[in-house]
Structures are given as C-alpha cells and as structure tokens.
Amino acid sequence: MTTMTTDPIDLKIGYEFDALDTDGDGIVVWGDYQDIVDRHAAVFRLSHEDRRIRAVRATYGLLWQEFLRHTGVAADEGLTRDQYIRACRAASLDSSRIKMMEAAPHAVFDALDRDNDNKVSRSDFSRYLKEVRRITAPGSMDAFAALDTDGDGYITRNEFIRSVREFLRSEDLERPGSLYFGRLQQS
C-alpha cells in the first residue's frame, strides 16, 4: 500500500486557500482579497484612504494579477485550490517582474505597525491572524513566539518578512514561518 505524502509547501498554501475561501465554494476570487483589505482597515481602525491600506490593496491587486498570469485563468473565474497553490508557488519564485511575495508582506507589516516603530505586538499579531486573516487554528499563536527570534516580545519587520519567505519556501513544518496555521502534519 502506497501512502501519498503531501508536499509541505502545498500543505501550507492549501491552508492559506481555505482561510481565503470564506464562503467555502472552492474558489478564491479578487473579492476575497478585497475582504482582507477591508478587515485590515476595520480591525486596525485605518481609513481606506490611509497610505498603508492603499499599499495593501495595491500589492494584493498586483499579486492577484500575477496569480492570474501564472495560471492563465480569466479574472472573473477565480482560482481553484490547485490553481491557487500552483500560482502561489510560481509567484514566490518568479523574479522576472516585481517580487510580489516580498512587496506584499512589507505592505502588510506597515498596516500592522500602526505607530511606525518597526515592530508588532503580540496583541496586534493575534488580531491580524484571528480578525484579519481569520486563522483560528489551535496553536496558530505559537507562530508569535517562534517569529520573535530575539525574544523582545515583538515581531520586527525582518522577522515578519523572513516568516513569509519561510511560509512560501521552507519544507520544514517546524520553521517559524510554517506555524501560521498551527503545527501542521504531513499525511
């Protein structure tokens, strides 16, 4: 009997897809990203005209266009789980254009860092996971302690950006960037 092992990066991106697909229809559309932008603004009490929210909207919009480019899917169709995983993987490795997987995390960090001190508190990170991204998996806050590599009680910009890179590129499910959805197990 052969057991199929899920690729760890596909596994993580699959959880990301599930968090984005809030209506459970098996399709992620641009509106799902727009909902995240709206939740950023509401949760952190930022105007939609605030430069940080405009930056999140712009980078997510460009990221979405890159996903469509990598899959060949029309904008009004949306992406299935497999298409989304393939598009994320391709966009994370594509350096032929703007490095969207680098730009988007910087924009998100700026929206989380409301006082511009280049760090995010545990409570703001928790609100980001639970209220903005709607990640409620048991153990998801384990990511905070793991991301806070210097143990100062905050996540710095470098720690946050590194975690996104790990999420998209590391096959090690114990790396800090792999813990956003709790401790995942390969099948």
Side-chain angles (χ1 to χ4, degrees):
M1 182 172 144
T2 305
T3 303
M4 181 186 229
T5 303
T6 303
D7 178 88
I9 297 172
D10 289 356
L11 179 69
K12 293 183 285 184
I13 296 171
Y15 273 90
E16 171 80 5
F17 177 90
D18 293 341
L20 281 167
D21 182 23
T22 56
D23 63 4
D25 67 354
I27 302 289
V28 168
V29 296
W30 164 245
D32 294 315
Y33 275 95
Q34 184 60 50
D35 288 346
I36 291 174
V37 173
D38 293 343
R39 289 192 301 267
H40 267 287
V43 168
F44 294 105
R45 293 183 174 94
L46 297 169
S47 160
H48 282 280
E49 297 309 312
D50 186 288
R51 69 168 174 75
R52 295 166 291 188
I53 294 301
R54 288 194 333 254
V56 170
R57 184 183 310 111
T59 57
Y60 279 166
L62 289 170
L63 183 60
W64 180 251
Q65 293 305 312
E66 286 299 292
F67 288 172
L68 298 177
R69 180 176 72 86
H70 283 291
T71 59
V73 172
D76 61 342
E77 292 179 35
L79 300 174
T80 65
R81 180 188 195 84
D82 288 342
Q83 290 168 328
Y84 184 82
I85 290 169
R86 190 171 72 242
C88 273
R89 289 190 77 126
S92 73
L93 299 172
D94 184 359
S95 61
S96 67
R97 297 180 184 209
I98 299 169
K99 291 185 179 183
M100 289 312 307
M101 296 307 215
E102 297 287 324
H106 279 284
V108 169
F109 187 88
D110 288 342
L112 297 176
D113 181 20
R114 293 178 297 158
D115 58 4
N116 297 313
D117 63 355
N118 244 356
K119 55 188 179 181
V120 174
S121 69
R122 181 179 183 83
S123 66
D124 282 347
F125 185 74
S126 176
R127 292 176 70 206
Y128 168 68
L129 287 184
K130 293 177 183 174
E131 298 174 48
V132 175
R133 297 311 305 267
R134 298 201 171 150
I135 298 171
T136 58
S140 59
M141 278 305 290
D142 290 349
F144 184 87
L147 294 178
D148 179 18
T149 57
D150 61 7
D152 67 353
Y154 295 93
I155 296 173
T156 64
R157 178 180 302 276
N158 289 338
E159 291 166 337
F160 185 76
I161 302 305
R162 182 176 344 139
S163 76
V164 174
R165 287 182 194 132
E166 287 175 352
F167 181 84
L168 293 166
R169 296 183 183 146
S170 177
E171 294 186 0
D172 182 352
L173 293 177
E174 294 301 315
R175 297 291 306 158
S178 297
L179 301 177
Y180 281 100
F181 295 96
R183 296 199 182 275
L184 305 178
Q185 301 293 317
Q186 287 179 273
S187 56

PDB file of all heavy atoms in Angstrom, residues 37-38 40-42 44-55 57:
ATOM      1  N   VAL A  37      -8.413  43.297   2.791  1.00  0.00           N
ATOM      2  CA  VAL A  37      -8.060  44.717   2.858  1.00  0.00           C
ATOM      3  C   VAL A  37      -9.072  45.451   3.746  1.00  0.00           C
ATOM      4  O   VAL A  37      -8.687  46.237   4.623  1.00  0.00           O
ATOM      5  CB  VAL A  37      -8.006  45.353   1.445  1.00  0.00           C
ATOM      6  CG1 VAL A  37      -7.799  46.858   1.531  1.00  0.00           C
ATOM      7  CG2 VAL A  37      -6.922  44.694   0.603  1.00  0.00           C
ATOM      8  N   ASP A  38     -10.353  45.172   3.545  1.00  0.00           N
ATOM      9  CA  ASP A  38     -11.394  45.816   4.344  1.00  0.00           C
ATOM     10  C   ASP A  38     -11.250  45.464   5.822  1.00  0.00           C
ATOM     11  O   ASP A  38     -11.430  46.321   6.688  1.00  0.00           O
ATOM     12  CB  ASP A  38     -12.785  45.412   3.850  1.00  0.00           C
ATOM     13  CG  ASP A  38     -13.111  45.949   2.468  1.00  0.00           C
ATOM     14  OD1 ASP A  38     -12.416  46.897   2.006  1.00  0.00           O
ATOM     15  OD2 ASP A  38     -14.042  45.416   1.837  1.00  0.00           O
ATOM     16  N   HIS A  40      -8.426  44.612   7.347  1.00  0.00           N
ATOM     17  CA  HIS A  40      -7.244  45.360   7.824  1.00  0.00           C
ATOM     18  C   HIS A  40      -7.678  46.741   8.294  1.00  0.00           C
ATOM     19  O   HIS A  40      -7.324  47.186   9.388  1.00  0.00           O
ATOM     20  CB  HIS A  40      -6.203  45.537   6.709  1.00  0.00           C
ATOM     21  CG  HIS A  40      -5.141  44.521   6.636  1.00  0.00           C
ATOM     22  ND1 HIS A  40      -4.110  44.439   7.535  1.00  0.00           N
ATOM     23  CD2 HIS A  40      -4.929  43.526   5.743  1.00  0.00           C
ATOM     24  CE1 HIS A  40      -3.320  43.448   7.203  1.00  0.00           C
ATOM     25  NE2 HIS A  40      -3.795  42.878   6.122  1.00  0.00           N
ATOM     26  N   ALA A  41      -8.421  47.430   7.439  1.00  0.00           N
ATOM     27  CA  ALA A  41      -8.846  48.791   7.754  1.00  0.00           C
ATOM     28  C   ALA A  41      -9.736  48.803   8.996  1.00  0.00           C
ATOM     29  O   ALA A  41      -9.527  49.615   9.895  1.00  0.00           O
ATOM     30  CB  ALA A  41      -9.574  49.403   6.557  1.00  0.00           C
ATOM     31  N   ALA A  42     -10.687  47.900   9.065  1.00  0.00           N
ATOM     32  CA  ALA A  42     -11.629  47.890  10.187  1.00  0.00           C
ATOM     33  C   ALA A  42     -10.950  47.492  11.496  1.00  0.00           C
ATOM     34  O   ALA A  42     -11.110  48.176  12.516  1.00  0.00           O
ATOM     35  CB  ALA A  42     -12.786  46.934   9.883  1.00  0.00           C
ATOM     36  N   PHE A  44      -7.770  47.507  12.429  1.00  0.00           N
ATOM     37  CA  PHE A  44      -6.735  48.417  12.908  1.00  0.00           C
ATOM     38  C   PHE A  44      -7.143  49.883  12.797  1.00  0.00           C
ATOM     39  O   PHE A  44      -6.309  50.778  12.913  1.00  0.00           O
ATOM     40  CB  PHE A  44      -5.408  48.116  12.211  1.00  0.00           C
ATOM     41  CG  PHE A  44      -4.877  46.760  12.602  1.00  0.00           C
ATOM     42  CD1 PHE A  44      -4.948  45.693  11.723  1.00  0.00           C
ATOM     43  CD2 PHE A  44      -4.358  46.552  13.867  1.00  0.00           C
ATOM     44  CE1 PHE A  44      -4.491  44.433  12.105  1.00  0.00           C
ATOM     45  CE2 PHE A  44      -3.909  45.302  14.253  1.00  0.00           C
ATOM     46  CZ  PHE A  44      -3.972  44.240  13.371  1.00  0.00           C
ATOM     47  N   ARG A  45      -8.432  50.105  12.557  1.00  0.00           N
ATOM     48  CA  ARG A  45      -9.023  51.443  12.528  1.00  0.00           C
ATOM     49  C   ARG A  45      -8.243  52.401  11.625  1.00  0.00           C
ATOM     50  O   ARG A  45      -7.840  53.492  12.032  1.00  0.00           O
ATOM     51  CB  ARG A  45      -9.147  52.002  13.939  1.00  0.00           C
ATOM     52  CG  ARG A  45     -10.137  51.240  14.787  1.00  0.00           C
ATOM     53  CD  ARG A  45     -10.284  51.870  16.161  1.00  0.00           C
ATOM     54  NE  ARG A  45     -11.338  51.236  16.920  1.00  0.00           N
ATOM     55  CZ  ARG A  45     -11.142  50.239  17.772  1.00  0.00           C
ATOM     56  NH1 ARG A  45      -9.931  49.763  17.959  1.00  0.00           N
ATOM     57  NH2 ARG A  45     -12.154  49.719  18.427  1.00  0.00           N
ATOM     58  N   LEU A  46      -8.055  51.944  10.387  1.00  0.00           N
ATOM     59  CA  LEU A  46      -7.364  52.756   9.397  1.00  0.00           C
ATOM     60  C   LEU A  46      -8.343  53.103   8.273  1.00  0.00           C
ATOM     61  O   LEU A  46      -9.118  52.250   7.836  1.00  0.00           O
ATOM     62  CB  LEU A  46      -6.165  52.002   8.809  1.00  0.00           C
ATOM     63  CG  LEU A  46      -5.057  51.630   9.787  1.00  0.00           C
ATOM     64  CD1 LEU A  46      -4.066  50.670   9.146  1.00  0.00           C
ATOM     65  CD2 LEU A  46      -4.351  52.866  10.290  1.00  0.00           C
ATOM     66  N   SER A  47      -8.300  54.317   7.825  1.00  0.00           N
ATOM     67  CA  SER A  47      -9.145  54.754   6.722  1.00  0.00           C
ATOM     68  C   SER A  47      -8.745  54.013   5.452  1.00  0.00           C
ATOM     69  O   SER A  47      -7.570  53.675   5.257  1.00  0.00           O
ATOM     70  CB  SER A  47      -8.959  56.260   6.525  1.00  0.00           C
ATOM     71  OG  SER A  47      -9.378  56.646   5.243  1.00  0.00           O
ATOM     72  N   HIS A  48      -9.702  53.815   4.574  1.00  0.00           N
ATOM     73  CA  HIS A  48      -9.387  53.201   3.275  1.00  0.00           C
ATOM     74  C   HIS A  48      -8.482  54.096   2.442  1.00  0.00           C
ATOM     75  O   HIS A  48      -7.861  53.631   1.488  1.00  0.00           O
ATOM     76  CB  HIS A  48     -10.662  52.857   2.506  1.00  0.00           C
ATOM     77  CG  HIS A  48     -11.310  51.603   3.006  1.00  0.00           C
ATOM     78  ND1 HIS A  48     -10.879  50.357   2.649  1.00  0.00           N
ATOM     79  CD2 HIS A  48     -12.335  51.414   3.861  1.00  0.00           C
ATOM     80  CE1 HIS A  48     -11.606  49.442   3.253  1.00  0.00           C
ATOM     81  NE2 HIS A  48     -12.506  50.057   4.002  1.00  0.00           N
ATOM     82  N   GLU A  49      -8.389  55.356   2.819  1.00  0.00           N
ATOM     83  CA  GLU A  49      -7.507  56.295   2.123  1.00  0.00           C
ATOM     84  C   GLU A  49      -6.128  56.396   2.778  1.00  0.00           C
ATOM     85  O   GLU A  49      -5.241  57.050   2.238  1.00  0.00           O
ATOM     86  CB  GLU A  49      -8.157  57.677   2.036  1.00  0.00           C
ATOM     87  CG  GLU A  49      -9.439  57.672   1.217  1.00  0.00           C
ATOM     88  CD  GLU A  49      -9.252  57.018  -0.145  1.00  0.00           C
ATOM     89  OE1 GLU A  49      -8.285  57.356  -0.849  1.00  0.00           O
ATOM     90  OE2 GLU A  49     -10.079  56.163  -0.508  1.00  0.00           O
ATOM     91  N   ASP A  50      -5.948  55.746   3.913  1.00  0.00           N
ATOM     92  CA  ASP A  50      -4.637  55.713   4.574  1.00  0.00           C
ATOM     93  C   ASP A  50      -3.632  55.059   3.628  1.00  0.00           C
ATOM     94  O   ASP A  50      -3.936  54.053   2.981  1.00  0.00           O
ATOM     95  CB  ASP A  50      -4.754  54.925   5.881  1.00  0.00           C
ATOM     96  CG  ASP A  50      -3.484  54.950   6.700  1.00  0.00           C
ATOM     97  OD1 ASP A  50      -2.497  54.285   6.284  1.00  0.00           O
ATOM     98  OD2 ASP A  50      -3.462  55.601   7.756  1.00  0.00           O
ATOM     99  N   ARG A  51      -2.436  55.620   3.558  1.00  0.00           N
ATOM    100  CA  ARG A  51      -1.420  55.097   2.626  1.00  0.00           C
ATOM    101  C   ARG A  51      -1.126  53.625   2.861  1.00  0.00           C
ATOM    102  O   ARG A  51      -0.828  52.877   1.926  1.00  0.00           O
ATOM    103  CB  ARG A  51      -0.143  55.921   2.704  1.00  0.00           C
ATOM    104  CG  ARG A  51       0.602  55.756   4.024  1.00  0.00           C
ATOM    105  CD  ARG A  51       2.011  56.330   4.021  1.00  0.00           C
ATOM    106  NE  ARG A  51       2.575  56.237   5.344  1.00  0.00           N
ATOM    107  CZ  ARG A  51       3.012  55.103   5.899  1.00  0.00           C
ATOM    108  NH1 ARG A  51       2.969  53.985   5.236  1.00  0.00           N
ATOM    109  NH2 ARG A  51       3.504  55.106   7.121  1.00  0.00           N
ATOM    110  N   ARG A  52      -1.220  53.175   4.115  1.00  0.00           N
ATOM    111  CA  ARG A  52      -0.917  51.773   4.423  1.00  0.00           C
ATOM    112  C   ARG A  52      -1.973  50.841   3.845  1.00  0.00           C
ATOM    113  O   ARG A  52      -1.640  49.792   3.293  1.00  0.00           O
ATOM    114  CB  ARG A  52      -0.777  51.586   5.932  1.00  0.00           C
ATOM    115  CG  ARG A  52       0.422  52.363   6.500  1.00  0.00           C
ATOM    116  CD  ARG A  52       0.390  52.468   7.983  1.00  0.00           C
ATOM    117  NE  ARG A  52      -0.715  53.348   8.377  1.00  0.00           N
ATOM    118  CZ  ARG A  52      -0.927  53.765   9.601  1.00  0.00           C
ATOM    119  NH1 ARG A  52      -0.146  53.373  10.590  1.00  0.00           N
ATOM    120  NH2 ARG A  52      -1.936  54.569   9.869  1.00  0.00           N
ATOM    121  N   ILE A  53      -3.227  51.226   3.943  1.00  0.00           N
ATOM    122  CA  ILE A  53      -4.310  50.404   3.384  1.00  0.00           C
ATOM    123  C   ILE A  53      -4.260  50.455   1.857  1.00  0.00           C
ATOM    124  O   ILE A  53      -4.453  49.440   1.182  1.00  0.00           O
ATOM    125  CB  ILE A  53      -5.682  50.852   3.925  1.00  0.00           C
ATOM    126  CG1 ILE A  53      -5.753  50.577   5.428  1.00  0.00           C
ATOM    127  CG2 ILE A  53      -6.825  50.150   3.189  1.00  0.00           C
ATOM    128  CD1 ILE A  53      -5.556  49.124   5.833  1.00  0.00           C
ATOM    129  N   ARG A  54      -3.971  51.630   1.315  1.00  0.00           N
ATOM    130  CA  ARG A  54      -3.823  51.719  -0.150  1.00  0.00           C
ATOM    131  C   ARG A  54      -2.687  50.823  -0.625  1.00  0.00           C
ATOM    132  O   ARG A  54      -2.788  50.181  -1.681  1.00  0.00           O
ATOM    133  CB  ARG A  54      -3.601  53.178  -0.565  1.00  0.00           C
ATOM    134  CG  ARG A  54      -4.849  54.019  -0.433  1.00  0.00           C
ATOM    135  CD  ARG A  54      -4.778  55.375  -1.144  1.00  0.00           C
ATOM    136  NE  ARG A  54      -3.461  55.939  -1.300  1.00  0.00           N
ATOM    137  CZ  ARG A  54      -2.975  56.970  -0.606  1.00  0.00           C
ATOM    138  NH1 ARG A  54      -3.719  57.575   0.290  1.00  0.00           N
ATOM    139  NH2 ARG A  54      -1.768  57.422  -0.831  1.00  0.00           N
ATOM    140  N   ALA A  55      -1.595  50.749   0.140  1.00  0.00           N
ATOM    141  CA  ALA A  55      -0.462  49.892  -0.238  1.00  0.00           C
ATOM    142  C   ALA A  55      -0.836  48.420  -0.167  1.00  0.00           C
ATOM    143  O   ALA A  55      -0.461  47.629  -1.044  1.00  0.00           O
ATOM    144  CB  ALA A  55       0.745  50.183   0.654  1.00  0.00           C
ATOM    145  N   ARG A  57      -3.870  47.166  -0.536  1.00  0.00           N
ATOM    146  CA  ARG A  57      -4.772  46.941  -1.667  1.00  0.00           C
ATOM    147  C   ARG A  57      -3.984  46.845  -2.974  1.00  0.00           C
ATOM    148  O   ARG A  57      -4.220  45.955  -3.793  1.00  0.00           O
ATOM    149  CB  ARG A  57      -5.812  48.047  -1.761  1.00  0.00           C
ATOM    150  CG  ARG A  57      -6.836  47.821  -2.872  1.00  0.00           C
ATOM    151  CD  ARG A  57      -7.854  48.954  -3.028  1.00  0.00           C
ATOM    152  NE  ARG A  57      -8.471  49.334  -1.778  1.00  0.00           N
ATOM    153  CZ  ARG A  57      -8.245  50.509  -1.158  1.00  0.00           C
ATOM    154  NH1 ARG A  57      -7.414  51.403  -1.673  1.00  0.00           N
ATOM    155  NH2 ARG A  57      -8.855  50.791  -0.032  1.00  0.00           N
TER     156      ARG A  57
END
